[in-house]
Amino acid sequence: MSTSPLYEPPQPPDTTPIARPKNGLGVAALVIGVASLVAAVSFVLFPLAIVALVLGLIALIRGRAGGTMNLGQAAAGVICAVLALAVAGVFTVRVGTFVARNTSTFTTFDKCIARASNRSEAATCIANFANRMR
């Protein structure tokens, strides 16, 4: 069979890999930043904000160098992380101040509970503690 000059065999598809933008850090910063806002009142979970802040800053630095396309998500993650750190700081100071002002009440409650020999006495200790906290 002869080939006609008008027939050209199909060319293989271009197999050059497409460079995909690296968006993982920005997404991670946003997700962890929002989670840290929710967990800001927890003394255990507030370090999430530090993780979100670091990831967001790395994503922003890489994004400015042309490595990512989701600078908005990275910036939102940084903002959420900073807000969460601020809320956690304020909450920590407020709780610390509250405990410091009521140290004698906590001490009295502790001694009362230690001396209580039955549930009725313990309930009285709890009621007295609740009344002093108001």
Side-chain angles (χ1 to χ4, degrees), residues 7-128:
Y7 173 76
E8 294 183 21
Q11 299 294 321
D14 186 17
T15 58
T16 307
I18 299 171
R20 296 178 63 195
K22 299 174 183 174
N23 293 329
L25 285 176
V27 172
L30 178 61
V31 169
I32 296 172
V34 170
S36 66
L37 271 176
V38 173
V41 295
S42 169
F43 294 110
V44 177
L45 298 177
F46 84 89
L48 283 176
I50 296 169
V51 172
L53 183 63
V54 169
L55 290 177
L57 290 174
I58 291 171
L60 285 174
I61 291 167
R62 284 188 183 174
R64 291 207 172 109
T68 63
M69 296 179 63
N70 62 345
L71 292 177
Q73 289 176 339
V78 169
I79 291 167
C80 287
V82 168
L83 288 173
L85 285 172
V87 168
V90 168
F91 185 72
T92 301
V93 169
R94 300 281 294 199
V95 168
T97 303
F98 171 77
V99 170
R101 286 182 182 162
N102 294 296
T103 302
S104 64
T105 304
F106 287 115
T107 305
T108 303
F109 175 70
D110 183 44
K111 289 178 183 176
C112 183
I113 289 292
R115 282 183 268 131
S117 60
N118 57 37
R119 289 185 180 188
S120 175
E121 290 177 1
T124 302
C125 292
I126 293 169
N128 288 338

